[in-house]
Amino acid sequence: MLRRTLLGMPFALLAQEGPWSVEEVRRYPAPEATQAVAVDAAHFYAIGSYAIAKYEKESGKRVAEWQCERGKPLIHLNSGVVRDGILYCAHSNYPGVPMVSSIEKWHTTALEHAGSHSLGIFAGSLTWLDVFDGRWFATFAHYRNRGAEPGKDPRWTLLVEFDDQWQQRRSWVYSEEIVAKMGDYSLSGGVFGPGGVIVCTGHDAAEVYVVAFPEGGSELVLMQTFPAPIEGQGIALDASGMLWGIRRRAREVVAMRLRGV
């Protein structure tokens, strides 16, 4: 098992763990799975730009759904995470500029929209968020394509730590080694894994990145890269150690057993 590590403590030994890998367990058809998947104990949630569906893990049966017209009010949902019966989703106006972001919430029981927290023009395009050590962390992406802001590119992608009032406490950039893997896009998915490392994904590459906080400075460190049968986008990690991802072209959700942790 990875040793528990907290922000500000050394992470160098994490590179010696592993290597990490995944073993595919099951695929589920899910037409909504174009952006991300989120999970809780018994269900997974296939997320599209402005649609979400709830499925039973055991049977693969769809049991609830939510959708809106594009832009009325939502434009581009990204990754999601379930906490205490609420599905939190990153939302942006991608590919619009200036970049505008919000955090959208749904009650998981019947997928009723439970509210929104607008971040407005902040640090980029919100792509994923998760909780670690009682704090929210979120990545704000930048691009080298039609969604780029003038004078900025993926090097401006930022991980931000928030307090419980959604005020910024600290932030980090991703290393050049990580940015080089992004191409014209950025990081699309991320979750905190064992030991407090970040398990994240790009826009379409069939691989997963293990990223750690630095011992000093502001640049996140790439510890490992390993292949996975997914196409980037938003991922999820459940309590059993299963890593979940999507294949957007096939409209599938993929459940994988995480190895080496």
Side-chain angles (χ1 to χ4, degrees):
M1 293 293 291
L2 288 174
R3 51 187 59 79
R4 177 166 174 76
T5 49
L6 302 176
L7 302 188
M9 295 180 65
F11 283 85
L13 290 177
L14 289 171
Q16 300 171 16
E17 304 279 359
W20 291 32
S21 64
V22 290
E23 174 190 356
E24 182 176 327
V25 175
R26 184 173 176 179
R27 297 190 184 190
Y28 302 83
E32 307 80 11
T34 61
Q35 296 297 328
V37 60
V39 294
D40 58 23
H43 300 89
F44 67 86
Y45 302 81
I47 301 170
S49 291
Y50 39 92
I52 303 173
K54 176 181 178 180
Y55 291 81
E56 294 176 345
K57 287 181 179 178
E58 182 66 28
S59 68
K61 178 182 177 182
R62 183 167 54 190
V63 294
E65 58 186 308
W66 179 95
Q67 62 180 353
C68 69
E69 293 184 53
R70 184 176 180 86
K72 297 182 180 180
L74 303 184
I75 300 170
H76 190 86
L77 290 171
N78 292 298
S79 292
V81 61
V82 178
R83 291 290 182 271
D84 300 323
I86 299 292
L87 171 63
Y88 296 84
C89 282
H91 172 257
S92 73
N93 66 334
Y94 180 84
V97 291
M99 295 175 173
V100 178
S101 300
S102 66
I103 299 159
E104 303 296 327
K105 299 182 288 185
W106 285 263
H107 295 294
T108 56
T109 304
L111 282 186
E112 297 172 344
H113 192 241
S116 175
H117 181 84
S118 176
L119 296 167
I121 299 173
F122 188 67
S125 183
L126 178 61
T127 56
W128 68 263
L129 70 164
D130 196 10
V131 177
F132 176 67
D133 262 13
R135 298 286 190 184
W136 281 100
F137 290 78
T139 283
F140 293 85
H142 283 272
Y143 306 97
R144 192 184 289 108
N145 58 25
R146 64 193 178 111
E149 288 188 332
K152 295 184 178 180
D153 58 38
R155 294 173 298 173
W156 290 75
T157 299
L158 194 67
L159 177 68
V160 177
E161 177 189 356
F162 291 96
D163 65 19
D164 56 7
Q165 298 300 312
W166 295 107
Q167 297 299 305
Q168 180 175 335
R169 297 185 74 245
R170 292 182 286 181
S171 60
W172 298 262
V173 298
Y174 290 86
S175 69
E176 291 185 10
E177 188 178 8
I178 302 170
V179 171
K181 296 178 176 292
M182 298 182 190
D184 292 339
Y185 290 88
S186 189
L187 291 175
S188 294
V191 294
F192 277 87
V197 295
I198 301 166
V199 182
C200 54
T201 45
H203 185 265
D204 47 28
E207 58 188 19
V208 178
Y209 315 118
V210 182
V211 176
F213 290 95
E215 295 183 35
S218 301
E219 191 173 280
L220 297 167
V221 180
L222 178 63
M223 310 304 290
Q224 293 180 32
T225 300
F226 60 88
I230 57 176
E231 297 167 348
Q233 301 300 314
I235 56 175
L237 184 64
D238 66 22
S240 71
M242 296 286 284
L243 184 67
W244 297 71
I246 68 168
R247 296 176 60 87
R248 64 185 304 170
R249 286 175 291 184
R251 300 295 195 270
E252 291 177 332
V253 168
V254 184
M256 301 161 282
R257 186 168 291 107
L258 190 59
R259 301 291 195 182
V261 301

